[in-house]
Every structure is written in structure tokens, then in C-alpha cells.
């Protein structure tokens, strides 16, 4: 299939905007003027140097189901003993995290220094003045941004400036129990048939798991369904293009899956955490999730299905397979009291060592391409050793690129949720989305 080749990396953009003055721990002696003898200064015992003041940074990110963030912070602190990093856990719901950040930064809060951003946030946050620009920092430290996945880098570029560094990329994937499934489904209709057939086998309760709660993850699932049938939300010029037969067909297939008897009856409350937990407990033969799912499935401390999981592209519709482009960036709060130290942490986290730790211990797909050549990284996930995956995530389907994305997303969440609940048809949902999106764009 062409799917895996189409699923591959997103580029995130690196950004640097603060210039750091070069510091020297020891004063330098100037040479004597030409033609004058150098006079030997009397020897004195060096004055005791005060210990460098320890700086504390607060790093905000969503819940980490692995220990990769703690390991990353420990490695950074070992390399930078004068910088302490406190991890602040944000809500798993990306919409709630977004709103909390906006509230803090609107008040010019200094309570966090470095934070994670969904790939859809940089333009909004940069325009609002929440982010520290990174270009001068990147240039000063000689960071080769060409070694990062271009799409990931581009996601952090707005108005000709780099505002974020890419941490990891995501693409929606199908995970399945290879002890229950001989061949993964190639189409949505095949998935439906296999989900029905495997429900109840091997101690399972369900056939398929996904994210169907009214939040950003629902938008990703929606994009995958409609794109696999050729549907779209906005065209290349940013005009509303959602009201078309392909979008309606994709949404109808999504409704069919969500309203089936092979998904949990409360599937509309499921986010990533609920999905991956149920899958780890052996409750389903299939789950749609991000690459990190594989690392969790191999963790003997929390998984009942170790060595029983395989990965495949998401099922295809009439137009082929489609995976939502996702991923996270790292940025610096413009109002941070410690921008220099914040940059050191961001640089480490999104550099080779930080991304290797995230890949090996967290199952997160790197954005720094040389990391994929590391033997430990390739061993951590079959994806990372798969050239098709590395080459193809750039073909993943992105969510609408627009400065008003949060409002567009809210419209999609509300109208798709109503359709999944049986409160309106796919046709009505698409018509409502078209009307509301046009009103937003005209404002």
C-alpha cells in the first residue's frame, strides 16, 4: 500500500529569537601594547569565586504515561547542575491546556518558562505575543535546522520567524493484536468486519478503540475518515470546502463505527488515555492511536499484551489511507525570568540527546533525522527503523492551517459530536460546519 509511504513525518519548525551574550567563567588578560615590555604582575592568590546561583525552571507539558520526561530532565540536570527543572503536568485534554496557557500568558505570567505546544498553536501564540522568538539563538548556537523534518520546523514558523523547536511528530496509526489478527485490514469496511469477528476473542470486550470525545483528538479522527474518502475542510486558498460528497461519505463511515456494537458504549468519552489503557489491558484487538502506543504495549509494568502488538497504516477509504498529522513543539514563555536557561533546556530537549531519550523511553517519533540512525532508537520501535515511515509522515494530512484554527476546531467538534450521537445526519453536520466556518472567516 501507498499508505505507509504517505504517512511519514511532519516537520516542525525550530525558532530562535533571543541573543545570548557569551559568558566567560574566567577573565581574560590583554596582551601588552606592541613595543612595550611585558611587566610581570605580582602573584596573588586567586580570589574565591562565588558559586553560581542555581536557577529553577518550570516546564509545562501534558500527562506523560511513560517515564521519558523524568529521564530527560534528569539527563539535562546532570549536564547543567546549576539549572533545576520542575515538571508541571497540564491537562490531557489539549483544549483545556490551550485555554490555561492563554489565560496565563494573557496576564504576562512568569510561572512557567518552557512549555509544549500542539503543532496547531504556534501561529496563534506567536501572533498574540506569548512566545520568545528563537532565530538569533538558533543562529548563535549553529543549530542545523536542515537536519530536522521540514514539516515539523515549518509548523513553528510564523511571519518569517521561528518561534518553536519541534519535539516529536505524530501520525495516526492502527495498532492490532497479532495473536488475534492474521492480516491487518486494508479498508474501513475490512476493519468493521474484523472488529466484529474478533470481539470477545482472547478475553477482549471490544473490537476497536479510538478517540471520540468532544476535544481536539476527535478532529484528528474526523480528518482521517474524511481524507481517506477524498474530503477536505479548507482548500489551498483557505476557503471553506467541507461541504462535498467525499466529506459526507467519510463522516458517515465514522458514524457507522462509533455507533457499532464493537466499540465501548461510552466511546464518546474516550481520549488517548482511555484508548491506550483499554488496549493495554487486552480489551480490544484494534486501536487507533499515535506512535507512543507501541512503547506502552511493550512495557511489562503496565501492559498485558507485551510482544503481541503490531502496527499498520490506518484503513483506506475510496481515496486511500490518511493519517492526521500531529506532534508537539517546545517553546519559551516570552515573559520568563530565565530566558537563557530556558533556551538551554529547550535546545537539549529538542536536540539529539533529548529526542533519543524521548524515542527510547517514550516511543515518540523524532523530528531530528540523525536520531533515526541510532541503534537503540531503531530497537525501541519498528517504526523508527522503517524507511517508509521516516520518508512518509510528510504526506500525512494536516488539520486546517489558519490563524483562527481554535474556532474552526470548535465548530468541527460540536457538529461532529452531534452527528456521532445521532442528533443530526452527516449531511446536516457538514452543512452546519460550512455555514459556521464561513461566518468565522468573514469576521
Amino acid at each position: 500500500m501507498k499508505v505507509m509511504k504517505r504517512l511519514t513525518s511532519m516537520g516542525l519548525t525550530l525558532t530562535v529569537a533571543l541573543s545570548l551574550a557569551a559568558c566567560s567563567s574566567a577573565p581574560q588578560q590583554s596582551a601588552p601594547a606592541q613595543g612595550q615590555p611585558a611587566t610581570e604582575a605580582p602573584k596573588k592568590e586567586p580570589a574565591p569565586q562565588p558559586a553560581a546561583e542555581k536557577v529553577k525552571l518550570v516546564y509545562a507539558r501534558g500527562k506523560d504515561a511513560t517515564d521519558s520526561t523524568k529521564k530527560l530532565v534528569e539527563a539535562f540536570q546532570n549536564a547543567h547542575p546549576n539549572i533545576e527543572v520542575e515538571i508541571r503536568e497540564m491537562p490531557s485534554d489539549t483544549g483545556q491546556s490551550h485555554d490555561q496557557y492563554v489565560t496565563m500568558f494573557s496576564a504576562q505570567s512568569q510561572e512557567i518558562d518552557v512549555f509544549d505546544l500542539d503543532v496547531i498553536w504556534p501561529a496563534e501564540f506567536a501572533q498574540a505575543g506569548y512566545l520568545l522568538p528563537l532565530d538569533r539563538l538558533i543562529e548563535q548556537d549553529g543549530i542545523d535546522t536542515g537536519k530536522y523534518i521540514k514539516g515539523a520546523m515549518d509548523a513553528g514558523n510564523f511571519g518569517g520567524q521561528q518561534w518553536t523547536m519541534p519535539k516529536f511528530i505524530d501520525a495516526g496509526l492502527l495498532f492490532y493484536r497479532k495473536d488475534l489478527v492474521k492480516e491487518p485490514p486494508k479498508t474501513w469496511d475490512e476493519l468493521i468486519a474484523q472488529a466484529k469477528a474478533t470481539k470477545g476473542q482472547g478475553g477482549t470486550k471490544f473490537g476497536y478503540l479510538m478517540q471520540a470525545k468532544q476535544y481536539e483528538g476527535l478532529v484528528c479522527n474526523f480528518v482521517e475518515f474524511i481524507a481517506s474518502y477524498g474530503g477536505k475542510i479548507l482548500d489551498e486558498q483557505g476557503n471553506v470546502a467541507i461541504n462535498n460528497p467525499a466529506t459526507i461519505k467519510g463522516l458517515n463511515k465514522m458514524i457507522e463505527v462509533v455507533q457499532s456494537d464493537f466499540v465501548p458504549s461510552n466511546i464518546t468519552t474516550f481520549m488517548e488515555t482511555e484508548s491506550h489503557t483499554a488496549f493495554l489491558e487486552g480489551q480490544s484487538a484494534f486501536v487507533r492511536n499515535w506512535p507512543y502506543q507501541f512503547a506502552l504495549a511493550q512495557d511489562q509494568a503496565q501492559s498485558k499484551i507485551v510482544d503481541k502488538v503490531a502496527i499498520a497504516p490506518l484503513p483506506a477509504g475510496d481515496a486511500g489511507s490518511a493519517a492526521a498529522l500531529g506532534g508537539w513543539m517546545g517553546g519559551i514563555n516570552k515573559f520568563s525570568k530565565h530566558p537563557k536557561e530556558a533556551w538551554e533546556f529547550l535546545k537539549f530537549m529538542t536536540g539529539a540527546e533529548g529526542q533519543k531519550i524521548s524515542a527510547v523511553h517514550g516511543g515518540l517519533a523524532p523530528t531530528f533525522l540523525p536520531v533515526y540512525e541510532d541503534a537503540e532508537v531503531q530497537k525501541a520501535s519498528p517504526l523508527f527503523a522503517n524507511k517508509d515511515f521516516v520518508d512518509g509522515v510528510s504526506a500525512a494530512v494536516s488539520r486546517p492551517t489558519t490563524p483562527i484554527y481554535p474556532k474552526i476546531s470548535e465548530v468541527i467538534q460540536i457538529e461532529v459530536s452531534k452527528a456521532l450521537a445521532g442528533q443530526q445526519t452527516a449531511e446536516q453536520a457538514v452543512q452546519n460546519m460550512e455555514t459556521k466556518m464561513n461566518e468565522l472567516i468573514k469576521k
Side-chain angles (χ1 to χ4, degrees):
M1 270 189 83
K2 298 180 181 178
V3 182
M4 210 50 164
K5 294 181 180 178
R6 296 180 55 198
L7 256 193
T8 3
S9 34
M10 314 168 23
L12 296 179
T13 28
L14 300 177
T15 61
V16 204
L18 184 93
S19 71
L20 301 177
C23 309
S24 175
S25 58
Q28 295 183 358
Q29 281 187 310
S30 57
Q34 188 173 6
Q36 296 181 355
T39 57
E40 187 174 343
K43 294 182 179 180
K44 295 181 179 179
E45 290 297 323
Q49 296 294 317
E53 181 181 354
K54 194 161 188 175
V55 169
K56 180 178 179 180
L57 299 176
V58 175
Y59 165 47
R61 58 153 297 146
K63 181 178 177 58
D64 186 355
T66 72
D67 62 356
S68 64
T69 300
K70 291 181 180 178
K71 288 184 177 296
L72 187 151
V73 167
E74 288 172 0
F76 173 77
Q77 291 179 154
N78 287 337
H80 300 80
N82 292 321
I83 305 176
E84 177 187 352
V85 179
E86 174 190 320
I87 302 169
R88 177 170 300 184
E89 187 175 290
M90 300 294 287
S92 298
D93 186 321
T94 54
Q96 291 181 18
S97 290
H98 170 276
D99 294 345
Q100 288 188 23
Y101 284 135
V102 169
T103 299
M104 282 191 286
F105 299 145
S106 296
Q108 300 188 8
S109 171
Q110 300 176 332
E111 60 185 290
I112 64 172
D113 301 282
V114 179
F115 65 106
D116 285 0
L117 301 86
D118 194 318
V119 293
I120 58 177
W121 297 350
E124 176 196 356
F125 281 28
Q127 188 174 54
Y130 301 155
L131 288 165
L132 185 73
L134 304 176
D135 300 275
R136 291 174 63 188
L137 297 173
I138 292 173
E139 182 179 359
Q140 171 187 291
D141 287 352
I143 294 174
D144 186 355
T145 59
K147 291 184 178 179
Y148 286 78
I149 292 172
K150 185 179 184 299
M153 286 297 297
D154 289 347
N157 196 287
F158 175 74
Q161 287 186 289
Q162 197 69 33
W163 300 92
T164 60
M165 291 289 283
K167 286 189 57 185
F168 64 89
I169 60 167
D170 269 340
L173 295 169
L174 182 68
F175 297 84
Y176 65 94
R177 290 273 298 278
K178 59 186 179 182
D179 58 325
L180 301 178
V181 178
K182 292 183 179 180
E183 291 290 333
K186 291 181 169 57
T187 68
W188 286 111
D189 288 335
E190 288 182 14
L191 170 74
I192 290 171
Q194 291 192 28
K196 289 179 178 178
T198 55
K199 178 185 175 183
Q201 293 185 9
T204 61
K205 298 179 180 179
F206 316 110
Y208 184 64
L209 300 166
M210 57 185 288
Q211 300 78 46
K213 183 177 179 177
Q214 186 175 314
Y215 80 118
E216 187 59 35
L218 177 66
V219 179
C220 295
N221 281 256
F222 170 70
V223 165
E224 291 166 348
F225 272 100
I226 68 170
S228 70
Y229 286 91
K232 60 175 61 177
I233 298 169
L234 303 179
D235 63 19
E236 291 72 15
Q237 288 72 43
N239 300 312
V240 178
I242 197 168
N243 195 353
N244 62 74
T247 298
I248 293 171
K249 190 170 185 178
L251 179 53
N252 269 321
K253 187 60 63 175
M254 186 179 187
I255 293 171
E256 180 181 351
V257 171
V258 170
Q259 294 184 355
S260 70
D261 62 358
F262 57 76
V263 301
S265 59
N266 62 337
I267 190 67
T268 54
T269 68
F270 273 47
M271 297 191 294
E272 283 83 357
T273 301
E274 290 78 12
S275 300
H276 78 231
T277 299
F279 190 65
L280 296 180
E281 292 176 351
Q283 295 184 14
S284 178
F286 296 99
V287 64
R288 178 267 176 217
N289 211 342
W290 308 101
Y292 82 94
Q293 175 77 69
F294 186 81
L296 292 185
Q298 295 300 97
D299 184 356
Q300 295 184 357
Q302 57 183 317
S303 174
K304 297 179 180 179
I305 51 174
V306 174
D307 294 330
K308 295 181 180 180
V309 177
I311 305 169
L314 286 169
D318 298 339
S321 175
L325 185 65
W328 286 79
M329 329 281 272
I332 298 173
N333 176 8
K334 181 180 178 181
F335 311 107
S336 169
K337 293 182 290 186
H338 307 291
K340 175 183 174 182
E341 291 80 6
W343 166 243
E344 288 301 320
F345 178 63
L346 178 61
K347 182 173 62 173
F348 178 90
M349 179 168 62
T350 57
E353 186 174 354
Q355 291 207 25
K356 177 179 177 177
I357 293 171
S358 296
V360 172
H361 298 284
L364 303 177
T367 62
F368 189 63
L369 289 169
V371 175
Y372 284 102
E373 300 170 8
D374 187 282
E376 290 182 65
V377 170
Q378 292 182 355
K379 184 180 179 181
S381 170
L383 282 180
F384 303 155
N386 186 320
K387 186 176 183 299
D388 288 339
F389 175 81
V390 179
D391 288 345
V393 178
S394 57
V397 180
S398 64
R399 285 162 279 176
T401 303
T402 169
I404 59 169
Y405 179 80
K407 294 180 180 179
I408 295 292
S409 173
E410 184 178 9
V411 168
I412 295 172
Q413 292 176 40
I414 292 172
E415 298 303 327
V416 171
S417 291
K418 289 180 180 178
L420 298 182
Q423 297 173 4
Q424 62 183 0
T425 65
E427 290 81 1
Q428 290 170 332
V430 168
Q431 289 171 4
N432 289 339
M433 286 188 279
E434 178 185 41
T435 299
K436 292 181 178 180
M437 288 180 189
N438 276 322
E439 290 174 353
L440 290 171
I441 289 176
K442 289 176 183 178
K443 290 182 179 179

